[in-house]
Amino acid sequence: MSIHENLLGGPEPTLLPEDEQPYQQMAEQSASPAQIAAAHPTFSLAWAQLADESFAAGRVVESYAYARTGYHRGLDQLRRAGWKGHGPVPWEHRGNRGFLRCLAALARAADTIGETDEAARCWQFLKDSSPEAYTELKQ
């Protein structure tokens, strides 16, 4: 049985496309996350990295803004990939990780600035989309 087999009759997992160029730039460290986000604005993983770096440096509002940007770029890609507003977005698919990380970063930053309702919605969205990502990212 495949881990993607849907036994409940709900929507199939959504797998975002993977553009190899920004992954290669990240692996080779030939560009910073800011340079990658500027060159590949739909690449949510660069936005997630910017959000994480900003949060770690205590720049929570910046982190929130970066996370929100990557989250919205990821939502656009999910919709283009056939996602209808719910259903699995598997953590194990590399192309989904940037969006999921942005969702977690948005929840974390929202909670830190007192947007508790938004934080709760984001954490629940993450858990509903990928229990594995929720377990990995909710710390």
Side-chain angles (χ1 to χ4, degrees), residues 5-106:
E5 186 173 340
N6 187 339
L7 301 176
L8 300 177
E12 292 295 317
T14 303
L15 305 178
L16 294 176
E18 297 182 55
D19 179 355
E20 287 303 319
Q21 188 175 14
Y23 286 110
Q24 184 177 353
Q25 289 173 330
M26 288 174 62
E28 295 171 355
Q29 299 180 344
S30 61
S32 69
Q35 290 169 318
I36 294 170
H40 306 277
T42 62
F43 187 63
S44 291
L45 187 56
W47 296 106
Q49 288 181 324
L50 289 166
D52 290 346
E53 289 173 4
S54 295
F55 192 85
R59 298 185 316 268
V60 178
V61 173
E62 269 183 52
S63 177
Y64 182 90
Y66 286 134
R68 182 161 291 286
T69 299
Y71 163 78
H72 280 288
R73 298 311 296 258
L75 280 178
D76 291 344
Q77 287 186 321
L78 282 169
R79 290 181 185 117
R80 281 193 300 275
W83 184 76
K84 303 292 186 213
H86 67 285
V89 182
W91 173 250
E92 60 269 11
H93 178 66
R94 180 178 74 158
N96 292 348
R97 287 189 173 206
F99 167 75
L100 295 167
R101 283 183 53 189
C102 282
L103 185 54
L106 182 58

